[in-house]
Structures are given as C-alpha cells and as structure tokens.
Amino acid sequence: MLAFIVRRLLSGVVLIAVISFLAFTLLYAAGGDIARRILGENATAETVAKKTAELGLNRPLLAQYGDWLSSAVTGNLGRSWFNGELVSVSVSGRLSVTLSIVVGATLVSAILSILLGVLAARRGGVIDAGVQFLSLVGFAVPGFLIALLLVLVFAVNLGWFKATGYTPLTTSFSGWVASVVLPIVALSIGAIATVAQQVRGSVIDATSRDYVRTLRARGLSENSVIYRHVLRNAGGPALAVLAVQFVGLLGGAVIVEQIFAIPGMGQLSVRATTQGDIPVVMGLVIAFAIIVVVVNLLIDLAQAALNPKVRLS
Amino acid sequence: MFRWKATAALAVAAALVLTGCSGGGSGSEGSGSADRLTLTAIASPTSYDIGAGAEYGNRSPFFQAVFDTLLQKDSKGEIQPWLATAWEYNDDKTVLTLTLKDGVTFTDGTPLDASAVVASLERFRDGTSPQAATLAGKEFAAVDATTVTITQTAPDPSLVNLLSIAPGLIEAPSSFGNADVATNPIGSGPYILDTASSVTGTTYNYTANPDYWNKDAVKYQNLTINVLEDPTATLNAIRAGEANGAKIADNNTISEVEGAGWTIESNELDFQGLLLLDRAGTMAPQLADVKVRQAINMAFDREALLQSLQTGYGTVTEQVFPKTSVAYDESLDSTYPYDPAAAKKLLADAGYPNGFTLNMMSTPAFQQTFDLVAQQLSDIGITVNYTDPGTGNFITDMLAPKYPATWMALEQNPDWQLINFMIAPDATFNPFKYEDPKVDALISTIQTGSQAESDTAVKELNTYLVDQAWFAPFFRVQGTFATDANTNLEFWPTNAYPSIFDFSPKN
C-alpha cells in the first residue's frame, strides 16, 4: 500500500517535470514580444530593450528554463511579470477560491447524480424518461450559457446572489455563500447530467446480477439491497467518472470565473496565458498537475476502500 | 441515513443565511454615502513601483490613490499646484524650478522633501515604466529642503504636463528596497492600499490616509477598485448595483448601461485609422506619392465606419490632433470627402490606373475593421494583403518596421507629447524615421518659440500633415465612463479614466 502511494507520487513528480518543460517551450513559441506587451504602445524601443534584459528574455530558452527549474525546486516560483506579485502568493491565494467552487460543485453533483441515477434505475417508466431527458438537456446546454442566465435571473433581477466578485469565507459566511452558489450551480449541471447517467447504468447492471437475486431471496429490504450493496458495487465506476468530472470542472471554472469575475485559478489562467505571464502560468501548471495527481491517487484509495476486490498493485 | 439528515439541515441553514444576507445586502449597500466609493476598471497596475510600472490612462486611479503627483490636472484639464506649490522656468526654458509643500510625509512616516522628490524622479527616469523615456536626459537637484530643479539640454514643452501624470508620481525612497515594492506602495497619497483584503490583479481596497495633507479633496473614507476585464461582467456589476462608477470598454453596451439608470460621461482620446508610415516609399514605393496617400484618405466612408464599428459613438476626423489642442481645426475634417471615383482618378494620375497591392497587418480581435478597410480600399483598386503577426507581435512588427502602412488606434496627447509620439523623426510611431524639412522647422519653432509662435506653428503643422496625408484617420472613439444615481463625476477631458478626486457623493 505504502509502496503504491510512493510510486504514484514519484511518477507524479516526473509528470510535473515533463509538463513544466512542455508548457515553458510552448509559451515561448506562442509568446511574441513580452516586454512590449508589458509596457504597451507608449514605450520607446530603448525602454523595451531594457525591460527585455531585466527579465532575462534575451537569453537562450534552455538557460531560462534551467533558471526557472533550479529556483522552482527550492520553492521559489518567482514574481508575475505583469503585476509583481509572488507567484506562490498568486496561486495559493486563488486556490482556495477555485477549490470552494469546484469541490462544492463536485459534492453537489455527486449527491444529486446518485439520487437521480438510482431513482431513474429503480422507478423506470416516466421518471426514468424524465431524468434521462433532463440529463440530455444538462449535457447539451453549455455551462457558460447557464451561468449567464443564472446571473441575469438570480443576481441582477432578484438580487439574491452576487453578480461579480468573491467574498472569502473568513470575511463573511453569508457573503461567501452569496458569491459561490451560482458558480457552483452553473458548474454542477453538466456534471450531474453525465454522472447520473453513469449511476443509472451501473445500478441497472448491478440489479440484474446473481448476488442481488440472492440478497432479495434472503428477504433483505429493497432499500438495503440498493444502498448497502448495489451502490457499493456501482460506486466504483461512478467514482472514476466523478474524478474525471472534477478535473473537467477545473476547466469549466475558467469560464465560470470569467463570467462572475471571481479571482480564482481559472481567471488567473486566462489572464496569465493571454498576457504571456510565464512565471504565473508555470505556477498554475504545477498547481493543476499536483491537484490532478493527488485527486487520482485519492480516487484509487477510495475505490479500494469501497471495494476490497480492487487491489492496489 | 443520518448523513442525509445532516445534509438537509445544512441546506436549510444555508437558505436561512441567504435570506438574511439578501436583506442585509440591500441595506448595507449605502452607495450614496461618503463611506465607500466602488469603481470598476479594465486594467490593473503592472507594478506599483514607479520605476517599473508607473502609468496613467486606464491605470491612473490605482496610482492616484496612493501617490501624489508634483502637479495636478483639474477637471477641465488645466494644470494646478499640488505637491509643488509653484513652478517657474528660467529664460531659455532649460531649468524648471519647483517649490514643494512643506511638512508632507509618506505613509511610512518618512518626510517628503526635495531629496525624496529627486530620488523618486531619478527612479522613474532610470527605470522601465512605459513613459520612462520622457524624463531621459533630465537632471534633478535638491536646492534646499523644499526646492527642486529639473535641468534639460533643450526646452521640453510637455514637461509641466508630464509632472501631473505618471512621471510626476512621487514614491517614498525608503520603500525602494522593499521586497514587496511592486505590490505594497508607499506614497503620500490620499489613500493607503489595504494589502490584506486586496487581491492583486482583481480587487484593490484602500482606506483614507489619516494624515493626508489635503483632507478636503478626499470625499470617501474607503475606495475599492475592481478589475473587470469582461464587458459582460461590467454590465452585470452595473445592473446588480455592485459599483458606483464603471469604465465602459464596449460602447455597444451604452444603451443597456443607461437603461440601468446610470449616467454616461464621455471624452475622446484615441483615434482609429491608417498610419501611412512609409512616406518615403522605401517598402511600398506607391506611398511616396502624396496623391496615393490622398487617394487612400478619400477611399473611406468615415461615417459608415463609425456607425458599424462603434455604433456611432465618436466623431469622424481626418486629423491626429485632438479637439483640446490649439492645432485642431474643424474645417480640416472635410479635406477628403468619401469619393471613390476621385480617389481612383488620383491613383491614375499617380501612375497606378490599375491600383496596386498593399501589405498590412491584421489581428483577430479587430477582424471586422480589417475586413471593412480592405473592402473600401479594394473599391479604389488597392488590394490589401493581410498578415497576422501573431499574439503580442502587432506593435512590435509595426515598429520594426515590417509593414508600410497599418491600421491602429493611437492616443491623442498634448501637442508636444503627440509630436514626439507619432510625428518627429525619432518618434515611436514614425518607425521609418521619415523626415520632411518643413515639418522639422515647425517642430523646432514649437519647441523653442514663444507661446504665440508655438501656437501658430502647431496649427500650421497640423494643416500640413493633413494636406500631405501622413495619416488616414477615420474617427475619434468615444471614451466612456458611467456613474450610478448616487455619484457625481466630472470626467477629465484628457485621460482614459477619471481622476479619483472628481468623484463625489450626491446630496
């Protein structure tokens, strides 16, 4: 077990190193004149040249990556080229914001999709058709459109929630709730659609198995059969889908954070990438990679706990 | 089962909190009070260190909040005393002497005296801020505690104006060595940045400086500036009442902003049009002929362009000097009426009866503009061959220079800055270093002549440039700022963002 975790973490480190190099070189390929972008049209050629030298952008690509890597392994990710903030502060400050939304959306979608999936599988008929139809709609309507609608109705017209910005949990609980509910709803809908289908399929599949017939024959109540035994078996695939959804939600957060002007990692990614703010993009790439590695590891562990037949080897 | 109950309880609790919050929210808005002013901006400061990022334009409020400038522009655009109570040139205009206000301190308690001002000006001059070059070659000296001299080799008619914008910002020299100098500014300004509650790049919270020397000018106890890069987010913030003032980047949303009960304030600072850069014809020989440049000017239906590209918000123009300049002459704006037939004849006279091909740059963000430009030029026989230089290379390639002509949006500054920005032989936006003896002579008179001589020369220069068709401007774009029903604003005529001193609560 421990060996498994250590091996997974090590391969994660290698993955992060490869990704960081790819990100660095790709950013350079797409980069353009970064010093000019920082300074704008008012700067003279001399000022631009001075800035280029100051940032070390006139040195070979590999030398620049080497410098970045050697300071990154000591924990120093540098400062943003566009606002001077420490990258570690930028990224960690926005991590809690994005996690609030993405973890919230994952929980909401996990709970609702399991409920809807089981409901559809057990009741069948009109209810099943209804749930399937709703899933289809949730799957087909893009998240950003839902987000825009939610803002108009619940923030602008009704004034229940905030249309823009984010209030940290430490500042005000009600303010935090007002700023995260709409983004969570916007993000969850697509995920619920996908996972509910998965749960429905797994439950239907499991209920036709021999062990379920045996359990029923032994006189167990239907609720007990479904929630104690069937879901345990159907949970594995659903968890795997949820893990993929979680990573997908990180991507979805990019658009939702733009619409709600929420200072999370998504918004930071958009700004840093379009500006060519390499230190920040690198910090984000590493943070995202760590999250993905850790989430996958946790899902593997959770699946093992759920079903002893899944061995960690 | 227990877990479901807990979840239900949590949901009920959340609902209760929400109802409480929406009630409290509307009560505590209080946007009309003098407690807090909330603004939205479209850009955040690149660095609060004036040696690395001092800027005006859309970034001006961030710097104005925490730093003082030596001089100040009032809401009419006139220069007024500020940290410097008086200023005077010597006879040949090479030495400017400034008298400083006594007893001002920076927010870290260090004194703001002549030596601090000199250190700050030097930091700006020697740094990499966008306008750093405007102070190049100038020497600063502290004569006594409250007197500073600025010595230059030749007169600089823009210097006094510069001291009221980015180059005139004074930063505490005691903060130069701070590791967080880029994000934690130390100045003597009306507000102090609350770094704990601010999110760099997104939300900036300021509290009034308790020791400010000019308390009467500060009308709000707190200031918040939210950076909203997306026009839809700006519109949502306006509709939801989450701001008192907002920079409107997309003029197509003006009717919706007005629909929300907000007031529109506007000015015109930028012009859009073609820069006919290769006037000597080194890259595109056709452009050396003034008839060709004039024909290009006549190819454009400016009213139609303004209507389709800016929903009519702006004013058509054929000159690069702004309305606020003495050089501005309304009659010049009808020098080249839209007339494709006459333009074709001019091209034929110049020896191009079948037109020619012109290489220019395009960029996806302004695709509609590029399509219309190409279409109107093709109507007179000029085929445009566009190249997309790639993200982040548009200005670099323009100034390289890699193209003989280009579409561009440029800001219109006070005369001397404008001349050094796009007309003088070494101006940034004269990348082919094109020179004309008549232009050089006029520039020299503007620099060294008396006020009357300079005014006459700059008028003559403007007329000559239009006549020679150095540019093909289309229109000046309306710069728009909106305020809610509780806020008064007098919008600067000369900056993209209002002065924070020009906001006041109504009633």
Side-chain angles (χ1 to χ4, degrees):
Chain A
M1 179 75 159
L2 193 66
F4 167 81
I5 294 175
V6 169
R7 212 163 45 234
R8 285 293 293 265
L9 288 178
L10 277 179
S11 68
V13 170
V14 174
L15 180 76
I16 290 167
V18 171
I19 289 177
S20 76
F21 181 73
L22 284 177
F24 203 87
T25 40
L26 285 174
L27 276 167
Y28 262 88
D33 188 343
I34 293 163
R36 167 62 71 184
R37 268 204 258 179
I38 296 171
L39 297 172
E41 66 192 43
N42 279 316
T44 59
E46 293 75 43
T47 311
V48 173
K50 218 164 159 183
K51 191 79 179 182
T52 306
E54 187 184 296
L55 297 176
L57 287 164
N58 48 356
R59 296 175 312 130
L61 173 64
L62 276 179
Q64 291 183 51
Y65 178 71
D67 279 2
W68 175 84
L69 189 66
S70 58
S71 65
V73 292
T74 67
N76 175 11
L77 292 169
R79 283 178 185 274
S80 158
W81 288 344
F82 284 79
N83 61 33
E85 192 177 30
L86 279 171
V87 172
S88 49
V89 173
S90 275
V91 174
S92 61
R94 285 158 177 84
L95 190 64
S96 61
V97 179
T98 299
L99 286 185
S100 284
I101 298 168
V102 172
V103 170
T106 307
L107 287 177
V108 167
S109 52
I111 293 165
L112 286 181
S113 55
I114 288 171
L115 279 177
L116 287 175
V118 171
L119 194 70
R122 287 185 65 191
R123 297 287 160 86
V126 180
I127 292 175
D128 186 20
V131 169
Q132 292 230 53
F133 177 74
L134 282 179
S135 293
L136 201 68
V137 172
F139 196 68
V141 181
F144 77 90
L145 205 63
I146 295 170
L148 285 172
L149 270 173
L150 290 173
V151 179
L152 273 184
V153 176
F154 296 102
V156 172
N157 289 336
L158 295 172
W160 292 357
F161 304 103
K162 278 169 73 100
T164 57
Y166 176 80
T167 308
L169 189 55
T170 47
T171 308
S172 142
F173 180 73
S174 60
W176 176 77
V177 171
S179 56
V180 299
V181 167
L182 293 185
I184 286 177
V185 173
L187 270 183
S188 305
I189 289 176
I192 292 170
T194 315
V195 183
Q197 288 289 355
Q198 170 67 37
V199 172
R200 175 186 173 275
S202 302
V203 171
I204 290 174
D205 184 45
T207 42
S208 63
R209 296 277 173 96
D210 291 346
Y211 78 91
V212 173
R213 203 178 50 214
T214 315
L215 289 172
R216 284 190 177 133
R218 280 172 54 195
L220 260 69
S221 77
E222 190 62 16
N223 275 343
S224 175
V225 169
I226 296 289
Y227 293 108
R228 285 255 171 88
H229 302 279
V230 169
L231 259 190
R232 209 184 172 100
N233 284 304
L239 258 183
V241 175
L242 264 179
V244 174
Q245 284 297 322
F246 180 86
V247 175
L249 289 179
L250 282 177
V254 171
I255 295 162
V256 168
E257 285 175 12
Q258 279 300 100
I259 291 172
F260 291 94
I262 289 174
M265 291 172 76
Q267 194 199 49
L268 188 64
S269 306
V270 172
R271 192 188 322 135
T273 315
T274 48
Q275 285 175 331
D277 197 344
I278 293 183
V280 175
V281 178
M282 295 304 290
L284 285 166
V285 162
I286 287 174
F288 278 125
I290 291 174
I291 291 174
V292 171
V293 167
V294 169
V295 165
N296 279 309
L297 183 61
L298 289 179
I299 292 294
D300 283 344
L301 295 176
Q303 283 190 327
L306 211 69
N307 186 350
K309 278 196 286 184
V310 180
R311 297 220 169 169
L312 299 178
S313 54
Chain B
M1 284 302 113
F2 171 71
R3 258 171 271 167
W4 292 118
K5 278 181 196 153
T7 311
L10 192 71
V12 172
L16 286 176
V17 169
L18 280 178
T19 8
C21 122
S22 62
S26 55
S28 64
E29 279 294 305
S31 43
S33 81
D35 176 55
R36 181 177 296 277
L37 176 68
T38 303
L39 304 174
T40 74
I42 57 170
S44 56
T46 51
S47 170
Y48 262 123
D49 180 0
I50 60 161
E55 238 185 297
Y56 254 48
N58 272 307
R59 295 186 168 95
S60 61
F62 302 98
F63 291 96
Q64 253 197 324
V66 291
F67 300 117
D68 276 315
T69 41
L70 285 169
L71 300 173
Q72 176 82 340
K73 254 186 222 178
D74 63 19
S75 54
K76 292 180 183 64
E78 304 284 334
I79 306 287
Q80 302 293 343
W82 203 248
L83 280 182
T85 53
W87 61 99
E88 191 179 27
Y89 270 115
N90 65 344
D91 286 343
D92 67 359
K93 294 186 179 173
T94 53
V95 179
L96 180 70
T97 304
L98 299 156
T99 308
L100 301 177
K101 182 172 280 298
D102 205 3
V104 177
T105 53
F106 292 109
T107 53
D108 66 352
T110 55
L112 190 155
D113 53 16
S115 59
V117 168
V118 168
S120 184
L121 289 170
E122 285 173 345
R123 187 166 181 87
F124 183 90
R125 177 195 65 193
D126 302 335
T128 51
S129 289
Q131 285 189 319
T134 56
L135 294 189
K138 297 186 193 338
E139 293 300 329
F140 314 104
V143 178
D144 56 47
T146 56
T147 311
V148 171
T149 57
I150 300 177
T151 307
Q152 48 199 8
T153 49
D156 177 353
S158 63
L159 180 58
V160 169
N161 178 60
L162 289 171
L163 296 180
S164 75
I165 53 175
L169 292 165
I170 301 303
E171 179 181 14
S174 54
S175 69
F176 291 172
N178 293 355
D180 62 353
V181 63
T183 50
N184 187 11
I186 308 293
S188 62
Y191 292 96
I192 299 171
L193 178 67
D194 177 8
T195 50
S197 70
S198 296
V199 181
T200 302
T202 305
T203 302
Y204 293 80
N205 288 319
Y206 305 85
T207 52
N209 176 358
D211 304 318
Y212 195 51
W213 58 272
N214 189 4
K215 283 206 170 76
D216 291 347
V218 184
K219 297 172 194 93
Y220 297 89
Q221 277 308 299
N222 298 283
L223 169 69
T224 295
I225 309 177
N226 290 317
V227 182
L228 299 179
E229 283 152 355
D230 181 27
T232 312
T234 303
L235 202 52
N236 287 337
I238 287 171
R239 287 166 166 164
E242 289 172 358
N244 306 113
K247 171 73 186 178
I248 308 299
D250 181 358
N251 280 338
N252 295 317
T253 63
I254 287 177
S255 59
E256 288 164 280
V257 174
E258 285 176 323
W262 283 47
T263 307
I264 298 289
E265 300 283 342
S266 65
N267 61 16
E268 289 178 352
L269 300 172
D270 296 349
F271 80 88
Q272 292 191 8
L274 295 190
L275 312 181
L276 306 176
L277 301 170
D278 187 18
R279 295 153 200 133
T282 52
M283 195 177 277
Q286 302 88 350
L287 289 186
D289 193 326
V290 65
K291 289 197 191 87
V292 172
R293 303 199 299 264
Q294 290 170 337
I296 291 174
N297 262 280
M298 295 172 96
F300 296 108
D301 184 350
R302 293 176 167 82
E303 286 289 351
L305 287 172
L306 179 66
Q307 203 56 46
S308 57
L309 297 172
Q310 296 291 330
T311 331
Y313 291 108
T315 312
V316 294
T317 192
E318 295 170 25
Q319 52 196 319
V320 294
F321 283 86
K323 232 173 172 169
T324 47
S325 162
V326 290
Y328 179 80
D329 179 354
E330 197 182 338
S331 68
L332 289 176
D333 286 339
S334 41
T335 311
Y336 303 110
Y338 172 55
D339 191 344
K344 269 184 166 167
K345 188 171 176 306
L346 270 175
L347 279 187
D349 290 350
Y352 306 102
N354 303 316
F356 59 92
T357 300
L358 189 60
N359 291 324
M360 296 207 285
M361 279 184 290
S362 67
T363 190
F366 295 93
Q367 196 54 50
Q368 195 193 353
T369 304
F370 291 108
D371 290 344
L372 290 173
V373 166
Q375 183 221 314
Q376 303 227 297
L377 284 177
S378 83
D379 287 349
I380 66 163
I382 298 175
T383 309
V384 179
N385 178 23
Y386 280 127
T387 309
D388 180 354
T391 318
N393 286 326
F394 195 83
I395 293 173
T396 308
D397 281 10
M398 186 186 311
L399 301 183
K402 290 186 180 172
Y403 297 88
T406 179
W407 172 87
M408 185 62 185
L410 278 187
E411 65 179 88
Q412 298 171 305
N413 287 304
D415 299 342
W416 187 247
Q417 275 167 261
L418 185 150
I419 288 166
N420 284 293
F421 186 50
M422 54 177 114
I423 296 164
D426 55 353
T428 306
F429 281 85
N430 183 6
F432 284 85
K433 314 265 176 228
Y434 181 69
E435 273 187 78
D436 177 318
K438 181 156 185 193
V439 170
D440 290 351
L442 288 169
I443 289 176
S444 167
T445 308
I446 294 163
Q447 183 177 20
T448 56
S450 67
Q451 191 62 49
E453 288 166 340
S454 162
D455 287 355
T456 311
V458 74
K459 278 181 184 159
E460 211 179 316
L461 175 67
N462 189 20
T463 310
Y464 183 73
L465 294 180
V466 173
D467 202 43
Q468 290 292 306
W470 274 37
F471 304 89
F474 303 155
F475 43 74
R476 289 186 303 274
V477 185
Q478 173 174 323
T480 310
F481 198 90
T483 49
D484 72 350
N486 301 314
T487 311
N488 284 318
L489 168 66
E490 290 185 77
F491 195 5
W492 262 341
T494 51
N495 197 47
Y497 203 94
S499 163
I500 58 166
F501 295 106
D502 289 338
F503 290 95
S504 59
K506 272 189 186 159
N507 65 56

